[in-house]
Amino acid sequence: MMESFYDVMRRQGISRRSFLKFCSLTAASLGLGPSFAPTIANAMENKPRLPVLWLHGLECTCCSESFIRSAHPLVKDVVLSMLSLDYDDTIMASAGHQAEAIVTEIVEKYKGNYILAVEGNPPLNEDGMFCIIGGKPFVEQLRYAASNAKAIISWGSCASWGCVQAARPNPTRATPVHQVITDKPIIKVPGCPPIAEVMTAVVSYILTFERFPELDRQGRPKMFYSQRIHDKCYRRPHFDAGQFVETWDDEGARKGYCLYKMGCKGPTTYNACSTVRWNGGLSFPIQSGHGCIGCSEDGFWDKGGFYDRLTNIHQFGIEENADKIGMAAAGVVGAAAVAHAAVSAIKRARDNGDKQS
Amino acid sequence: MSNQAIGNSKPARHVPRTRPIDRNEVYVYEAPIRLWHWINALAILTLAVTGYLIASPLPSLGGEASDHYLMGYIRFAHFAAAYIMIIGFVFRIYWAIVGNIHARQIFLPPIHKAKWWAGIIYSVRWYLFLVKEPRKYVGHNPLATFGMHFGFIWLTVFLIVTGLALYGEGAGYDSWQYTFFSSWVIPLFGQSQDVHTYHHLAMWGMVIFVIVHVYAAVREEIMSRQSMMSSMFSGWRNFKDDLPMDKDH
Ligand code: HEM
Ligand code: HEM
Ligand code: SF4
């Protein structure tokens, strides 16, 4: 029989007391009431551990880097041991054929009973030749690993939306996971990278309850992606007051005014940065004086400058924003109306003249 | 009215003047329509100004956040005017059902009638100075109906739908605005930023509609064969000649 999470933790030298603490912490971070702590403990003690395959496609490893920096050391250790990351190119001990064999072993041995976590995405052009893992295109490894998976976690904006490698004109046709694997439940955890605590919480939830937390329409866990940065930003009172940073290092910047005019994408970005924050709740971009760049949103590289409030509209060929296009069109129509009025007046005067003569 | 004389000073029409004319004044715009028109115009004016200021806020104020609430008031004005516009629009649809025949005109352009399309071409030629006389209509001329339907009704629907989707984002997951609008509109456009962009672009579409509309209304008042602006105040359409009506609209 496969060992339970609790067995694994005990083996790692984690005391029962620490284990129970972890359970309450997880319950809290998932937004569940204290009564859920025993439920989590019970599940972890009795359920066999779910193996996790963690694949890497076209990516920069920032998701892994974020994940291993989870704030609470216990959370990190426990989750890492829970996962035990049966396969993860970046941090596993084995290498080469031995490592690749693990993928086959898990896919065959735990049919329908393992989680596939994907960091990065597969490029599809040239039969996937732009990303080769163990001598084969990544897209093949992905399809194979997904074939028997119970569910898929799309880590970060790469796996969820495409991110920088899929930015216009996307020469390798980098494609988000849900557009390649269409027959498995997928949870998206976007961000570049996602917040460490969000990642560990999502993993804990899935491993303890063996199902996804509640998702929104786009497949993101509601508990972390149901509000915009702007909704919980501590600079929001300055936004409502009409107090903005106008240029970097002006008086407003020193006073910590709202970064809206500096192109902050907080009003259109769904993520938990303004509540959970980063580096153990120390800070987040806006707190350090820079606007949000919207890294957890679909296509954020293609929405124009990070420092512009109005973003570009590509359909018009040359990159223009709504105001430039609209004002130009309104100007043309206005001028046409004036010209038309002038011609009408002349014509009328002439007609009147005709009649009098 | 001085132009009355012009209309009447054209006896050289082929239609015999002796033909009986039963009306020279028609009640076209019922009071609720007129009231709606002006309330709606004011709401849209407010929405365009405040919307522009939401996207490009006024110069920064100083002091403490608790000293001011400028952006808050501007957004409040936008949302208040938005709800006036939405409720007005719902009412306008209701009135299209229960009101007189003219109340339905801009909702149901007779796109299946060749004569109506020919009427549009005729109106376009009139505006291009290619024909000497406009036709005479009780309601809107075919080109106006076309513009009102495609340039106003659908643009309004678009602004309301995208506006409510943006509103739902702030109101939150359990709001009806989120459930009925944000939940599908935002994924449809890609992401929130795109909804902002197209909502914004639609504002310029509305500005263009208003420029053309107001110009046409003023010009028609002077140059066409029926009253225009005064009709939207009094409801009565006065005709400047007693020739028969062009009915194909
Ligand atoms: C004639 C009608 C309207 C016009 C001209 C208009 C114009 C605008 C403009 C230009 C913006 C700024 C967009 C940007 O961020 O670039 C805006 C934002 C917005 N509008 Fe409208 N709008 C109209 C109707 C509505 C309606 C019916 C609603 C429904 C409640 C609405 C709700 C909003 C919301 C929620 C925002 C975002 C505010 C924010 O980001 O703080 N608008 N509008
Ligand atoms: C935001 C501004 C405005 C909007 C959205 C608007 C919209 C409309 C609409 C939809 C109608 C059709 C009414 C119906 O058949 O139910 C209409 C008619 C009319 N509007 Fe406006 N309007 C605006 C401003 C104005 C202004 C400023 C004037 C005056 C200069 C004006 C004068 C008229 C007139 C005279 C009619 C009747 C046209 C006719 O009989 O064919 N409108 N307007
Ligand atoms: S800094 Fe950005 S997120 Fe914060 S209130 Fe201003 S616009 Fe919103």
Side-chain angles (χ1 to χ4, degrees), chain B residues 124-140:
Chain B
V124 169
R125 296 184 63 208
W126 152 242
Y127 284 110
L128 291 177
F129 311 104
L130 295 176
V131 285
K132 261 202 160 338
E133 265 219 330
R135 286 188 181 150
K136 186 173 170 181
Y137 296 104
V138 179
H140 301 295

Side-chain angles (χ1 to χ4, degrees), chain A residues 226 243 257 260 270 323 340, chain B residues 54 60 62-63 127 169 173 200:
Chain A
S226 63
Q243 295 167 321
Y257 286 175
Y260 189 73
Y270 287 81
D323 266 351
H340 197 268
Chain B
I54 288 171
S60 177
Y127 284 110
E169 297 195 282
Y173 260 101
H200 198 129

Side-chain angles (χ1 to χ4, degrees), chain A residues 37-48:
Chain A
T39 316
I40 295 178
N42 187 39
M44 292 198 144
E45 278 167 352
N46 299 315
K47 277 191 191 156

